[in-house]
């Protein structure tokens, strides 16, 4: 959208537009979290673990659950802060390596994003390998939604407060690849069944994106 709005040029939002997009992203993340943990929690629990989870809920104390929730939230914020600081420290070294190879500066963002998402990505891969598909999907959904729904609001607020210019628009090549990815995912979800070929196509699109980022 930033490439097609007229209030600002160069793939950038105005401050008011940026804050609005930040609120929408945060609302989407909160909505997904509510669906996953409260409204439709049963959709995200594998059948073999559903009975065990129900038994734990019946036998657990409410106060203990609230305390665990608060501790978990604190640890989540702490770990996210550590990951962001590590990414910040690594960015200069990664940028130096990328530029020394003559690759575009945009590759730095791709590498940093890969590093940030690596722990959850490996956990999702390990769960899928152990035939724990629901756990793998939960990790993938949570990681993707958090990367968008939390990162964009945080960066947008910092950008507006400190007057930092931020470009969210993507070029036409990335737009085409994004459209292809959404089309393949829509085909998979519309039929209710999927197979390995659709996954191979999505991986192929991702590899093409990485390739054109390095060799534009």
């Amino acid at each position: 959208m930033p490439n097609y709005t007229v209030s600002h040029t160069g793939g950038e939002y105005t401050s008011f537009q940026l804050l609005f997009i930040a609120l929408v992203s945060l609302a989407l993340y909160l909505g997904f979290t509510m669906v996953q943990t409260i409204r439709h929690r049963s959709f995200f629990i594998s059948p073999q673990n559903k009975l065990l989870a129900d038994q734990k809920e019946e036998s657990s104390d409410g106060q203990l659950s609230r305390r665990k929730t608060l501790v978990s939230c604190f640890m989540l914020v702490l770990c996210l802060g550590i990951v962001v600081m590590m990414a910040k420290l690594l960015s200069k070294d990664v940028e130096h390596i990328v530029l020394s190879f003559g690759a575009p500066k945009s590759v730095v963002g791709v590498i940093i994003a890969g590093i940030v998402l690596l722990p959850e990505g490996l956990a999702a891969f390990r769960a899928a390998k152990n035939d724990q598909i629901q756990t793998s999907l939960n990790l993938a959904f949570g990681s993707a939604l958090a990367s968008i729904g939390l990162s964009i609001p945080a960066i947008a607020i910092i950008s507006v407060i400190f007057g930092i210019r931020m470009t969210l628009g993507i070029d036409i090549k990335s737009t085409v690849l994004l459209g292809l990815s959404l089309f393949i995912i829509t085909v998979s979800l519309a039929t209710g069944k999927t197979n390995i070929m659709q996954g191979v196509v999505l991986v192929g699109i991702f590899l093409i994106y990485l390739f054109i980022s390095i060799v534009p």
Side-chain angles (χ1 to χ4, degrees):
M1 281 186 60
N3 290 337
Y4 306 103
T5 54
V6 297
S7 300
H8 207 299
T9 58
E12 296 181 19
Y13 283 123
T14 63
S15 297
F16 185 69
Q17 290 173 334
L18 192 58
L19 290 176
F20 178 76
I21 293 300
L23 289 175
V24 171
S25 300
L26 184 60
L28 288 173
Y29 177 74
L30 293 177
F32 173 79
T33 303
M34 183 189 70
V35 168
Q36 188 181 38
T37 58
I38 301 175
R39 189 68 179 267
H40 299 294
R41 185 171 179 267
S42 60
F43 293 171
F44 299 89
I45 301 178
S46 57
Q48 58 268 31
N49 294 332
K50 187 174 182 181
L51 180 59
L52 181 61
D54 292 338
Q55 292 174 351
K56 285 184 177 180
E57 285 183 359
E58 292 176 0
S59 60
S60 62
D61 181 60
Q63 185 176 0
L64 181 61
S65 298
R66 286 193 294 271
R67 186 169 59 188
K68 286 184 177 180
T69 301
L70 292 175
V71 172
S72 299
C73 291
F74 172 77
M75 294 302 297
L76 175 62
V77 174
L78 179 62
C79 291
L80 284 174
I82 293 173
V83 170
V84 171
M85 292 302 298
M86 290 179 64
K88 178 65 176 177
L89 293 174
L90 287 173
S91 61
K92 292 184 179 180
D93 294 331
V94 173
E95 181 177 351
H96 177 72
I97 295 173
V98 168
L99 295 179
S100 66
F101 280 97
K105 197 172 181 180
S106 58
V107 179
V108 177
V110 176
I111 295 176
I112 294 298
I115 293 174
V116 172
L117 297 176
L118 185 61
E120 290 176 315
L122 290 177
F125 176 78
R126 192 180 302 113
K129 187 178 180 181
N130 295 330
D131 201 25
Q132 298 174 350
I133 303 302
Q134 189 59 60
T135 301
S136 178
L137 289 175
N138 291 345
L139 288 167
F141 284 143
S143 178
L145 265 295
S147 299
I148 299 172
L150 295 180
S151 298
I152 289 182
I155 296 174
I157 292 173
I158 294 174
S159 175
V160 171
I161 293 176
F162 294 98
I164 302 173
R165 297 179 60 182
M166 183 172 65
T167 302
L168 291 178
I170 58 177
D171 57 25
I172 188 64
K173 298 188 294 294
S174 299
T175 303
V176 172
L177 292 175
L178 177 62
L180 285 174
S181 300
L182 293 176
F183 174 74
I184 299 299
I185 293 172
T186 301
V187 171
S188 301
L189 296 178
T191 58
K193 296 181 179 180
T194 186
N195 56 63
I196 193 172
M197 192 62 224
Q198 293 164 341
V200 171
V201 172
L202 288 171
V203 172
I205 293 174
F206 176 65
L207 293 176
I208 292 173
Y209 170 75
L210 293 179
F211 179 76
I212 65 172
S213 297
I214 299 173
V215 188

